[in-house]
Amino acid sequence: MSTLSFPLAADGVFGPVLETVLDAVIVIDMGGMIVGWNAVAHATFGWTGEEAVGQSLEQLIVPPIHRQAHRTGLLRVAGGGEAHVLGKRIEISAICKDGREIPVELAISRTRIDDETYYFGFLRDISARREAEARLERQALETRMLFEVSTMASEAESYERALETTLRAICRVSGWPIGHAFIVPELEHRLVSAGIWIEDAPGRADMIRAATENTAFFRGIGLPGQIWQNGEPVWVADTDAEANCPRKGTGFRGAFGFPLRTNGRTVAILEFFSDIPTPPDPELLLTIRTLGDQLGRVIERKRTEERQRLLLDELNHRVKNTLSVVQGIAHQTFRSAASMDQARTILTGRLNAVAKAHELLAADRWSKAPMLEIIESAIAGCGAPRERFDITGRDFNVSPVTAVSVALAIHELCTNAFKYGALSNDAGRVAISWTATGGRAPSFSFEWRECGGPPVVLPTRKGFGSNLLQRGLGGDLGGKVEMDFARDGFVCQFAATLPARVDG
């Protein structure tokens, strides 16, 4: 029932009218006090007519942010000024009895009764409409995001560029300030940062980037590790309250991520961060799940195309290197041999060693290979005199991917030593050493150190050989390669965690 307390309320004229109106109707006097309140207002805001009538409208349902404007408007009209909102429909918010703030559509009319002015407010809860509009807008944005991201990723020149495009688009549509990508290496033992960070301001991601570089993300460890382990999106509403969060305290509270998958395998993981706690968004999670399946195929195709290009470049490069090695072997052989017959014998043996090493690299059905044999064969394959190498390290078995990567690296290092380094004269030597430890995450460290060669000259550009070392060791094995062009001898160091079984 409507509750009225102004003149003519008793004659029954207004009560039945207010009860038939489908909107909430609130009547106030010139002082802003409520004098009328119908049943729909009760249903909308929670206060009964008896509770509402006699209260200040400002204090009852006007949000604090709008109270000054409400008060100013009443004073202006009372002083004979213009009423800005009469006869218009506006959208504003109002407070309910339970503390909720809801969007409402408001129309105000003015009437005079017995020389008193009253304002009738007709209010309609538009929460459902706003939610529907937001849902449609979100669906449109997400549909556009799916199309744009898939298209841009497909047109990207490399898979790194495709990842960057994807991160940037999702940050733009979702409004999250930070995005980052992990790559799942072929060996699938530890995630590797793609080195791609999207940030809404320079330096915004510095702390979390440093924490990421200093954390080993295995399956189940942290946000990316959980995504990798389950193959599903993960949302962390508040990182401070999450036990499995090694990067907490880096300035971000909300986080979510999802896998890029193809043929049932995760090939990359994208993660995003917000500086405030953020509850899960079911619609966004549904969208990124779909996006992850689509982009997984795109990213894997890009990686395959890049590998094919790399293999072709490598083939071309290795043919040139092989010719250089043969030329170097022939030069040193004929220079040091006592006779042509001796030179012919030595040259034939060295060329056969090269062929044997190439057979080792071509094998693709290994179940394992000893590290020492890989290194010895790679050295022999380059035709380098074994007596010029000092090899130190505990032998252990490695996977085929590791074996090929190490053999290619040794081949490349030998070739460079023949061209420019310790093997380009008669006095230089090379020390090769490595260490390996067992356990859940075997640690592997490798060093190539030259001495006695000509003074080292810092290269003016990064050639294919350096790229091959970075991609082969750093990319395929998920490790870190460091090269030092010290004047007294070139040094290459590599460190990684490998799924290797140390032979004891």
Side-chain angles (χ1 to χ4, degrees), residues 116-195:
E116 294 290 336
T117 299
Y118 297 94
Y119 296 96
F120 285 69
F122 298 84
L123 301 94
R124 179 176 300 173
D125 183 356
I126 57 173
S127 298
R129 193 189 78 193
R130 285 279 184 88
E131 291 172 2
E133 290 172 348
R135 186 163 52 251
L136 287 174
E137 182 178 0
R138 182 63 169 272
Q139 289 172 350
L141 284 172
E142 290 172 351
T143 300
R144 189 174 76 241
M145 179 179 70
L146 286 170
F147 174 76
E148 289 182 356
V149 170
S150 298
T151 301
M152 289 187 294
S154 297
E155 295 174 350
E157 59 189 21
S158 66
Y159 81 89
E160 289 98 340
R161 182 63 176 169
L163 286 173
E164 181 182 351
T165 298
T166 301
L167 287 169
R168 196 175 301 280
I170 295 176
C171 284
R172 185 183 71 247
V173 173
S174 67
W176 286 60
I178 302 297
H180 170 244
F182 281 101
I183 296 296
V184 180
E186 291 293 334
L187 296 178
E188 296 196 357
H189 63 284
R190 184 183 70 170
L191 294 174
V192 177
S193 171

Side-chain angles (χ1 to χ4, degrees), residues 461-477:
R461 64 182 181 86
K462 189 175 182 181
F464 183 83
S466 297
N467 287 328
L468 183 62
L469 290 173
Q470 294 286 356
R471 286 291 181 91
L473 293 177
D476 291 345
L477 304 185

Side-chain angles (χ1 to χ4, degrees), residues 123-391:
L123 301 94
R124 179 176 300 173
D125 183 356
I126 57 173
S127 298
R129 193 189 78 193
R130 285 279 184 88
E131 291 172 2
E133 290 172 348
R135 186 163 52 251
L136 287 174
E137 182 178 0
R138 182 63 169 272
Q139 289 172 350
L141 284 172
E142 290 172 351
T143 300
R144 189 174 76 241
M145 179 179 70
L146 286 170
F147 174 76
E148 289 182 356
V149 170
S150 298
T151 301
M152 289 187 294
S154 297
E155 295 174 350
E157 59 189 21
S158 66
Y159 81 89
E160 289 98 340
R161 182 63 176 169
L163 286 173
E164 181 182 351
T165 298
T166 301
L167 287 169
R168 196 175 301 280
I170 295 176
C171 284
R172 185 183 71 247
V173 173
S174 67
W176 286 60
I178 302 297
H180 170 244
F182 281 101
I183 296 296
V184 180
E186 291 293 334
L187 296 178
E188 296 196 357
H189 63 284
R190 184 183 70 170
L191 294 174
V192 177
S193 171
I196 303 171
W197 289 86
I198 303 300
E199 50 189 355
D200 61 351
R204 182 83 181 277
D206 285 355
M207 289 180 63
I208 196 166
R209 181 189 286 113
T212 300
E213 292 174 353
N214 294 324
T215 304
F217 289 100
F218 300 98
R219 290 183 184 271
I221 302 300
L223 172 68
Q226 293 178 68
I227 297 169
W228 187 18
Q229 183 176 58
N230 302 324
E232 297 286 342
V234 172
W235 192 294
V236 180
D238 187 354
T239 58
D240 283 0
E242 175 67 28
N244 186 8
C245 185
R247 293 175 292 179
K248 68 175 60 177
T250 56
F252 297 94
R253 299 285 295 277
F256 79 90
F258 65 98
L260 304 186
R261 296 176 60 82
T262 180
N263 298 323
R265 185 174 68 88
T266 299
V267 296
I269 291 171
L270 306 187
E271 57 178 4
F272 302 86
F273 301 93
S274 171
D275 51 9
I276 59 174
T278 308
D281 183 336
E283 292 184 3
L284 180 57
L285 284 170
L286 181 62
T287 299
I288 61 177
R289 187 188 301 273
T290 303
L291 187 63
D293 292 338
Q294 291 185 6
L295 286 175
R297 293 188 289 271
V298 173
I299 298 299
E300 183 63 12
R301 185 171 70 249
K302 290 294 179 183
R303 291 181 70 178
T304 301
E305 292 172 356
E306 190 160 330
R307 285 177 186 144
Q308 290 173 345
R309 287 195 299 270
L310 181 63
L311 287 173
L312 289 174
D313 290 343
E314 181 185 327
L315 177 61
N316 181 50
H317 182 71
R318 284 186 62 79
V319 168
K320 292 180 180 178
N321 274 354
T322 300
L323 293 175
S324 297
V325 168
V326 171
Q327 184 180 28
I329 291 172
H331 176 71
Q332 291 197 12
T333 300
F334 284 106
R335 185 176 62 181
S336 60
S339 66
M340 288 297 295
D341 288 341
Q342 183 188 35
R344 187 180 299 108
T345 300
I346 295 174
L347 180 61
T348 300
R350 288 177 173 175
L351 292 179
N352 285 337
V354 171
K356 180 180 178 181
H358 282 204
E359 290 177 3
L360 177 65
L361 294 177
D364 61 355
R365 296 181 180 274
W366 300 335
S367 61
K368 60 183 180 179
M371 176 62 74
L372 184 59
E373 180 181 345
I374 295 165
I375 292 176
E376 294 275 10
S377 297
I379 291 172
C382 291
R386 176 62 179 83
E387 62 272 13
R388 296 180 67 177
F389 286 81
D390 299 312
I391 300 177

Side-chain angles (χ1 to χ4, degrees), residues 364-489:
D364 61 355
R365 296 181 180 274
W366 300 335
S367 61
K368 60 183 180 179
M371 176 62 74
L372 184 59
E373 180 181 345
I374 295 165
I375 292 176
E376 294 275 10
S377 297
I379 291 172
C382 291
R386 176 62 179 83
E387 62 272 13
R388 296 180 67 177
F389 286 81
D390 299 312
I391 300 177
T392 306
R394 185 182 182 185
D395 202 12
F396 65 102
N397 291 324
V398 297
S399 70
V401 174
T402 304
V404 171
S405 296
V406 171
L408 285 173
I410 295 293
H411 177 90
E412 186 61 36
L413 291 166
C414 279
T415 300
N416 289 337
F418 264 118
K419 290 180 180 179
Y420 319 109
L423 302 182
S424 64
N425 62 18
D426 295 329
R429 298 188 63 79
V430 177
I432 299 176
S433 62
W434 69 87
T435 59
T437 59
R440 178 188 176 206
S443 173
F444 173 62
S445 298
F446 172 88
E447 181 180 83
W448 169 287
R449 182 178 294 274
E450 299 181 19
C451 65
V456 176
V457 177
L458 185 68
T460 57
R461 64 182 181 86
K462 189 175 182 181
F464 183 83
S466 297
N467 287 328
L468 183 62
L469 290 173
Q470 294 286 356
R471 286 291 181 91
L473 293 177
D476 291 345
L477 304 185
K480 184 177 182 180
V481 179
E482 294 184 352
M483 289 179 281
D484 181 11
F485 293 90
R487 185 172 176 80
D488 57 347

